Amino acid sequence: MKNIAVIGTGYVGLVSGAGISDFGHYVTCVDIIDSKITLLKKGQIPIYEPELKELVNRNVRAGRLNFTTKIEKTIKNSDVIFIAVGTPEGENGLADISAVEDVARTIGRNLSDYKVICTKSTVPIGTGEKICKIIDDAMLKPIKYDYVSNPEFLREGSAVNDFLRPDRVIIGVNSYKAFDIMKKVYSPLFINETPILHTNVATAEMIKYASNAFLALKISYVNEIANLCEEVGADIHQVTKAMGQDGRISKKFLHPGPGYGGSCFPKDTNAIASLSIEKSVKMHTVLAAIKTNNKQKLRMINKLDSLINGFNQKNIAILGLAFKPNTDDVRESASIDMIDGIIKGGGHVMAYDPIANDSMKKYFSNITYFDSWEDACSDVDAVVIMTEWNEFRAMDLKKLKSIMKSPFILDTRNILSINLLKKLNFKYDNVGRT
Ligand code: NAD
């Protein structure tokens, strides 16, 4: 069993740390935010992620998982150090890797014997070399270490399952010794015959960006097809169902909507597009996907505007704030653009999300938040579905109509029955199904 440090205890670090401890290793999760570590030590989880609490508590009880802010001590006691800090969008669309660089410097200063240093954060292609240079420069005396790129593919909302049962594990490293150590970290996955791919560092870094950019492209493509469906009287659901039956296309990521959001796709597409420009191999497809996505978010605001004939002095319920269901993460959520558009147009927002109200308060403190869809929708001029939470799929539409002032609905996730909406005389719009 290995001693593992995971630095950065956010959506990726906490799930990875808990998951690796569940594989049987001894894991210490480190963060710079005191309050986060205090909560975790009390058995409370600072983020919403299904099954995470059980996973964390089970491994804490087994004595395999603990939490600290003491990074130096943790580095010294570890065989493998995972860097899982944030890499938000920085200037010119490029990823801001300053947190990764800070951690690398601290690791370098505290290296006392051989260790595997492994980046899980999504970092631009070529960052591995930069990190090694930072570590080398910070070392007090020459110590041997190996650097690994091990990108993470978990999805918020199903992160625990994704981490424990991944489609593949990518290990980018130029040393067989470190590759063997990394294989030991992930050894329980051999039972499921999970493919473990050994690549060089730059290839591993590229695999992550190439995958995310491809998925973003798929979403933007399907959103444009949906928009065209609206003009020609075709139904996007039947179109994507048939497309998905083609094994070359696959049915995943073929759902039209208000434009992708979240902490990964927007920043990762911008990062790979900026890198491609920097390297003079401009990625026109990715740039087009980004542009389409921005336009899709705007299109939703315009749809609502036309549906209710302007926002001024209107009360509008926004159902769903998280960028997808089963998470409290609102980073780059399409709801942010929608709320912003309504406010700019002079409207009032009544917001409700089963989990993400508090996260959205950091972006909008001047809108009204409610604890149920019924309260949010009471006496409003329109309802907009922004996140496909199950609770909205199951909404009693008759009841909804009875509590609204005017029966206008924009369903940006296509989760409501058109037949029922028609039967109840709602005035509605959606994406690609009119
Ligand atoms: P996050 O913002 O939720 O968590 C980052 C954590 O790092 C925070 O708790 C922060 O306090 C901590 N941190 C920052 N600087 C630190 C330092 N110097 N020392 C210790 N801790 C520090 O971010 P996230 O969503 O977990 O993403 C982390 C990385 O993983 C990013 O590069 C992201 O692109 C990538 N990624 C994210 C997802 C996802 O779904 N969220 C999926 C795959 C990959």
Side-chain angles (χ1 to χ4, degrees), residues 101-237:
E101 291 174 338
D102 283 349
V103 173
R105 220 163 279 124
T106 312
I107 293 174
R109 275 199 300 268
N110 290 281
L111 269 192
S112 47
D113 54 358
Y114 174 82
K115 295 187 195 302
V116 172
I117 300 164
C118 172
T119 299
K120 227 179 210 322
S121 302
T122 304
V123 290
I125 302 114
T127 301
E129 275 178 35
K130 272 192 201 163
I131 294 178
C132 290
K133 169 128 189 23
I134 292 172
I135 295 171
D136 293 345
D137 289 349
M139 272 196 261
L140 304 176
K141 58 176 185 197
I143 309 269
K144 171 95 183 100
Y145 69 92
D146 278 311
Y147 179 80
V148 176
S149 168
N150 173 220
E152 182 49 56
F153 297 91
L154 62 77
R155 295 160 299 173
E156 288 175 24
S158 53
V160 170
N161 185 57
D162 289 348
F163 189 84
L164 297 178
R165 282 168 280 275
D167 291 335
R168 75 306 204 190
V169 174
I170 310 297
I171 298 174
V173 61
N174 299 327
S175 131
Y176 285 103
K177 178 179 173 183
F179 180 62
D180 281 342
I181 293 173
M182 290 301 293
K183 275 207 304 194
K184 285 197 182 92
V185 171
Y186 286 105
S187 58
L189 297 181
F190 296 158
I191 301 164
N192 300 335
E193 296 185 3
T194 306
I196 311 266
L197 267 76
H198 186 183
T199 68
N200 67 23
V201 170
T203 305
E205 291 168 343
M206 178 56 109
I207 288 169
K208 175 64 189 173
Y209 278 101
S211 304
N212 270 8
F214 183 76
L215 294 172
L217 263 162
K218 213 172 165 187
I219 295 174
S220 276
Y221 178 78
V222 90
N223 280 339
E224 286 197 319
I225 294 288
N227 299 343
L228 194 53
C229 280
E230 289 176 10
E231 300 306 317
V232 299
D235 183 303
I236 188 67
H237 277 204

Side-chain angles (χ1 to χ4, degrees), residues 29-46:
C29 288
V30 186
D31 207 281
I32 37 170
I33 301 180
D34 267 332
S35 56
K36 219 175 224 191
I37 296 301
T38 308
L39 271 185
L40 285 161
K41 281 185 167 168
K42 286 186 198 154
Q44 291 166 27
I45 307 296

